[in-house]
Amino acid sequence: MEINNKVLEFMPGNETVYKAVDMIMSEDPQDQLTFPEGFLNSLTPTGLPPYELKLKIGCIIMLLRNLAPSKGLCNGTRLVITKQYSGKIH
């Protein structure tokens, strides 16, 4: 991840930071106490982006999942960011 952030520093334009929303999906309220949000945000499982994803227009990203293989959107496909959404999603 460090090399990605270094390359991003040299690219022109404004950086947008996207943060993941982490929570335990369980009906047991004790699970919320066992896994605090800070701990969940510190995890970086293989194949998933980090808690904070920094992007700029023009940067190259790679798909990590087969989203739509029939349309060419499969694992390993490289894409270029052309637009960014910086508003809040409710």
Side-chain angles (χ1 to χ4, degrees), residues 19-46:
K19 295 184 179 184
V21 178
D22 294 327
M23 64 181 154
I24 302 286
M25 298 301 289
S26 174
E27 294 183 18
D28 185 358
Q30 291 296 92
D31 288 342
Q32 296 297 331
L33 300 175
T34 307
F35 300 104
E37 186 177 333
F39 170 72
L40 294 173
N41 293 342
S42 70
L43 300 175
T44 52
T46 302

Side-chain angles (χ1 to χ4, degrees), residues 8 11-17 54-59 81 84:
L8 206 59
M11 293 185 68
N14 296 325
E15 178 181 278
T16 303
V17 178
K54 299 174 183 178
L55 299 173
K56 287 184 180 182
I57 301 282
C59 73
I81 300 293
Q84 288 184 261

Side-chain angles (χ1 to χ4, degrees), residues 60-66 72-79:
I60 297 170
I61 61 171
M62 183 181 291
L63 286 181
L64 301 177
R65 296 281 185 263
N66 292 327
L73 296 175
C74 47
N75 185 24
T77 302
R78 291 185 293 170
L79 304 161

